[in-house]
Amino acid sequence: MKPTHLKNALGRRAGRSVGRTALGAAMLGSAGLLPVLAQAGTMREQVEAYQAQLSARHGGPVQDAQPEVVGGKPAKDGRWPFMASLMEKRIADNFDSRFCGASLISKRDILTAAHCITLTGATAKNTQVLVGTQDLTQGGRRINIASITVHPDWNEDTTDSDVAVIRLTEEVNDIEPVAFATTLKEENKHAATGKPTWGMGWGSTQSNPPYPEKLLNVRLPIVDREVCNSSDSYDGAITNTMLCAGFKEGGKDTCGGDSGGPLVAKDSSGEFRLQVGVVSWGIGCAQPDLYGVYSRLAVLGPWVKDQVAKP
């Protein structure tokens, strides 16, 4: 379920296959990726091509840049009602058109990863949002988009501020939006090191079939920032706008195709209904010491909240 450096449209979220050394110096360097993206067809293929190229460019295996929720299992029906998916409008079949995850954060607003927008050329005209289902073969409905706003500090070279807010053309009144963190106090309480979270998505499983029809989810503990930034892991590439989750031994992770989807922690009532991260990037998927990297809503949440508040 985890994108690989920008885990979604690109492989593991576009990333996750970045090499551990000199990672901070040109993590994405998009200039060399443009020819690859230009040759890709669907938005999903553009994301995968980017992730694969990114992985190879930073010394990671290309095959690890495939979207998926690794080590997860099918989510119980209705467990994650706020889960949404970005769809390529020209492709009618939901299974074939899905290219990134997302979450419903208000009746008219959707949260996703910035790279899902900028690296695929997604616009209000060529993209829709699927809500109301955990099964890509049945149920749910597609809604048109009124506008898309990418975080002004989004940086393709460092993957900083990897969030975007989508305003829908109509309200979703039959689904409860997910609450999201906006302060460090909330993170310290609900997403401190070792606290449990759930990641989810329809990304590849690197098995047969490669992509699931039903939503997969995986339980992951929050990882200490110093551990994630150590020389054994991301070697200083984890910035203040990023949050890590996963296991030292690997085996479970979000992956390519999961980009833009939510990482949720327990709220004050003990329910997993507080979004603390957005699937962003990583090196490979479920690899030892290479944890999943998520956009950190304790830092980016105030900007997201401002977008939701706009008329």
Side-chain angles (χ1 to χ4, degrees):
M1 251 166 83
K2 177 174 225 169
T4 210
H5 194 69
L6 280 157
K7 289 177 164 186
N8 198 117
L10 310 138
R12 185 212 181 185
R13 261 190 200 160
R16 243 164 156 200
S17 9
V18 174
R20 303 184 200 178
T21 48
L23 196 60
M27 188 115 115
L28 299 183
S30 56
L33 302 176
L34 294 179
V36 176
L37 297 179
Q39 295 172 14
T42 65
M43 290 178 175
R44 184 188 298 182
E45 289 170 338
Q46 290 175 38
V47 177
E48 292 173 353
Y50 172 83
Q51 288 178 315
Q53 179 77 352
L54 184 66
S55 178
R57 183 170 184 172
H58 292 280
V62 173
Q63 64 268 31
D64 281 348
Q66 298 303 311
E68 66 182 300
V69 166
V70 178
K73 57 185 179 181
K76 293 181 180 180
D77 291 343
R79 184 172 189 187
W80 312 114
F82 49 79
M83 184 67 191
S85 180
L86 303 190
M87 319 295 285
E88 188 163 358
K89 191 172 184 177
R90 67 185 178 88
I91 301 176
D93 183 82
N94 287 342
F95 182 82
D96 292 334
S97 65
R98 179 211 61 76
F99 67 93
C100 264
S103 56
L104 181 71
I105 56 172
S106 83
K107 291 183 177 181
R108 288 193 59 178
D109 295 287
I110 297 290
L111 177 61
T112 191
H115 76 261
C116 288
I117 304 302
T118 62
L119 298 177
T120 62
T123 67
K125 291 185 177 181
N126 64 17
T127 308
Q128 292 176 312
V129 176
L130 176 70
V131 299
T133 186
Q134 293 183 179
D135 189 333
L136 294 177
T137 66
Q138 61 182 358
R141 62 188 184 280
R142 289 199 195 191
I143 301 178
N144 290 326
I145 294 172
S147 64
I148 302 175
T149 306
V150 173
H151 196 289
D153 295 329
W154 156 240
N155 188 319
E156 291 186 9
D157 291 332
T158 63
T159 66
D160 263 321
S161 305
D162 190 12
V163 292
V165 174
I166 296 173
R167 175 62 56 90
L168 302 175
T169 57
E170 61 187 79
E171 290 188 350
V172 178
N173 294 307
D174 57 343
I175 300 173
E176 183 69 26
V178 65
F180 58 93
T182 58
T183 67
L184 292 176
K185 182 178 180 179
E186 286 178 290
E187 180 180 275
N188 291 334
K189 181 178 180 180
H190 302 290
T193 298
K195 290 279 189 178
T197 63
W198 282 90
M200 62 205 72
W202 286 280
S204 163
T205 56
Q206 296 182 341
S207 59
N208 189 18
Y211 288 92
E213 295 177 343
K214 293 186 177 181
L215 184 71
L216 299 182
N217 56 197
V218 62
R219 186 164 171 143
L220 305 163
I222 294 294
V223 175
D224 182 83
R225 178 174 304 279
E226 290 187 7
V227 171
C228 199
N229 242 343
S230 71
S231 59
D232 289 332
S233 190
Y234 289 104
D235 200 18
I238 305 304
T239 73
N240 189 51
T241 70
M242 302 174 194
L243 181 71
C244 296
F247 296 90
K248 178 178 176 58
E249 66 273 20
K252 296 183 178 182
D253 195 2
T254 51
C255 195
D258 296 324
S259 287
L263 181 73
V264 296
K266 287 184 178 180
D267 60 16
S268 296
S269 67
E271 298 293 326
F272 284 96
R273 286 292 184 273
L274 177 68
Q275 185 171 350
V276 295
V278 177
V279 179
S280 181
W281 67 277
I283 296 177
C285 296
Q287 301 298 305
D289 293 312
L290 295 175
Y291 310 96
V293 185
Y294 301 80
S295 302
R296 188 184 183 191
L297 292 179
V299 173
L300 300 171
W303 177 84
V304 174
K305 185 177 180 179
D306 286 344
Q307 308 316 302
V308 173
K310 291 180 178 179

